[in-house]
Amino acid sequence: MGWFHPRGSAPRPAVSILAKDDGRPAGAGVLLPRQHLLTCAHVVNSALGKDMLAPDHPGSVTVSVRIHGPEHTVEADAELTAWIPPRRDDGGLGAFEWNGDLAVLRLAGALPSAFEPPRWHPMARRQFVRAWHGSGEPGVFADAEVSECDGRFGYFDGAERTLDIEPAYSGGPLWSNEESAVVGLVTAKLRVRGELRRAWGIPWQRVARELRHAGVDHLLPRPDEDVRDHPLYGELTALLDGPLSLSEGWVRCCRAVARQCGLDHRADGAPSADEFARLLLTRGRALPALVEAVRPTSEPIADDLLALGRRHGLPKLLTPGEYERLLRQLRALPPASAAGVPGAVRAALSLAALPGALLAGFGGGARGVDGNGDSGPFEALIAHLEGLYGDSAPTGDGRLAVPALLRAVEFVAAGCCPTAAERAELWAWSAAVARRLGVHDAALRDRRHDAEQWARGASRGSAPPRVVAKLSSCGGAPVSDGEERYRLRLWCDDGDGLRQVSDDSERPRGAEEAAREILDAVGSLRRPDPAGPRFVIELVVDRDALEVPADSWKPAGAGALLPVPLGAPYPLVVNCPELRELNGEAMLDQWRERWARLDSEEPVHIDDVTAPDPEAVCGLLMERLTAHVTVDVAAHRRAGVVQMCLAAGVPVVLWDRSGQPGSPAVRHAAETRARELPEAIRRYRTKTLQRPADYPGRPVLAWADAGRALPRLDLVDPTE
């Protein structure tokens, strides 16, 4: 036995394969990586109520399984993904032997992080092994000694005063306490006369061969000897065999890693560099745990360990303790606060690839399947973010900047914690992890400032001040100068509600005069936070005026010294309630629900390939409650597609009125978060002023915030 060994000398988690008819254990199994299980094929047959040694493939079937972890038990369905049937017709077999007899099952969802697959080691003669009943009960085990092993079959004889191996043991692990590893699977009991209790199993050697031939060898954990082939092994052993292992605190570090990883250890001595390297390469959170233990003793060696992990892509960022504390704090968020987590993560990592499915399921169901530690959305989110280094490239002084996960936690703390105490708890967690990683305090403070600024902005309910302009054409032929004339009514909203500021709404005016009046209204607004977002100009138009080029209007008058178009100094968006109200209250409800999902739903892009006809457009819009759509279709289709989007209640729609194929404006905004689009489009318009050849697009952004009231647009005087 090595210095490290499993707590209780049992390969937890234990796996029970349950019979379909009565739910009792039909056999056992072993956990493999990536949500897979390994058992005997005859156990699956038995669970399905078939003849145990039937070789026929059962088809696309699922079986119920129960997985007993260190602290929690998970029940789930598992789908058959690889079938290696029992084979009696292979040459050289005795009357009680058969080849094959393996099955791989895949769980429907992820398991808690504590559920880690056991290590494997080749079976050899004279190993003492232990087998467990399929119930998974830790006290129901049988001890035996391997009496013969030829690499295909391993025979083991039961010890005196121990339980006998029965059918429900089949498919379960044969555990070697000396090797701290699984060396094979229990397969069958030899029923011969006499007092000898003999059974046989499939050794690791044949398990590996059979799964390799079945094309699923990528699921096999590395046996001990293969760890030496890992590109990190040599560097790790050299580092672990260096001056630190001779220091006074080295045993303390080793014990701390064992405690964090849920392992027992010998009372004397310390692990060899080889054994420690093997642990670090086979147990996901062991290296972060070692960094945490080493940091107070030797910062340079802690930094070296981190650098090795990054260079070789070891995916886990957090220690077991850090992971559990973060999960506990996130699960404690009230449902309404948890529902804001996707928006906070998107705000923190606006350029990261975050699948829509990853950010689904927050709120009411964010605590896991049944509250017993089962996998839920927080586990999946943490696992994904741990694999993103984000902006964690070393700074000029060699320190790390802030990893993606810590940046996301800062935004969650700032925007989703309902109390100051909960926010302070997440901040303390983030600061402790940053110290362990060697992140500079100033870098973390910068991210915290970013998060607090975002939390004060529009995405957390404090929308920017705005001028609402109801713009309508006067109709008829243009006047003598050829310019279109418009009626204009203006309201201001600086946080205290809408107030009308225009006096003569029915008087026709040209584009320049309208632009001047709108800018005058903006000038009358107060800006609560000078460092906050810019004022927004919101044009309320009818369906025929969606592409009125108001963003390019330049104000008239003696004071207009700068020829700046209306859409350059301020974000300018359009709003068309006429289209939204076409289909009655049901579609208005959809609009409100779509807006609520603005931060969690992935945007949809509509072009002539993805949606060649109106039916395809409708299908894309109705497939899910999309809140953000970009449109880049042929010019003759553009108005119809845009109006379909708005009539479906999509609150944010971006398109390009320039008519250029492959819209440069839409491409420019492709990586922009939905809530940042008004400002991003404003910046694009300023670049058009500077370099029109490089920025030829003419973007139009329809924006309908379901949380902000529109003015009543009926006439004030009933006699008019």
Side-chain angles (χ1 to χ4, degrees), residues 26 57 141 146 150 308 371 383 405 441 524 645 685 695:
H57 195 296
F141 58 83
V146 177
D150 63 2
L308 284 176
L405 176 61
D441 290 344
S524 71
C645 294
R685 289 167 177 154
Y695 295 89

Side-chain angles (χ1 to χ4, degrees), residues 40-128:
C40 287
H42 80 260
V43 171
V44 173
N45 278 335
S46 181
L48 296 174
K50 300 177 62 177
D51 180 77
M52 284 202 303
L53 296 181
D56 300 337
H57 195 296
S60 299
V61 297
T62 59
V63 296
S64 297
V65 300
R66 188 178 292 135
I67 307 171
H68 313 266
E71 298 178 2
H72 309 293
T73 296
V74 174
E75 292 199 19
D77 288 335
E79 181 184 6
L80 180 64
T81 61
W83 177 253
I84 304 170
R87 301 191 302 270
R88 283 185 177 272
D89 55 354
D90 291 358
L93 295 180
F96 305 102
E97 300 171 336
W98 55 85
N99 281 319
D101 201 8
L102 293 170
V104 176
L105 306 168
R106 189 180 191 282
L107 296 166
L111 291 169
S113 63
F115 287 56
E116 292 194 358
R119 291 175 49 244
W120 291 77
H121 188 83
M123 184 184 288
R125 195 164 172 259
R126 302 198 181 191
Q127 284 174 337
F128 289 96

Side-chain angles (χ1 to χ4, degrees), residues 614-638:
E615 287 74 16
V617 173
C618 187
L620 279 175
L621 296 176
M622 297 303 168
E623 183 179 2
R624 62 179 192 267
L625 289 173
T626 300
H628 171 198
V629 171
T630 54
V631 177
D632 186 8
V633 297
H636 70 278
R637 299 184 60 211
R638 188 173 68 243

Side-chain angles (χ1 to χ4, degrees), residues 147 187 229 292 325 351 353 442 461 468 508 524 589 662 700:
S147 54
T187 308
D229 298 331
E292 181 177 70
R325 283 194 297 277
L351 299 182
V468 179
S524 71
D589 287 342
V700 183

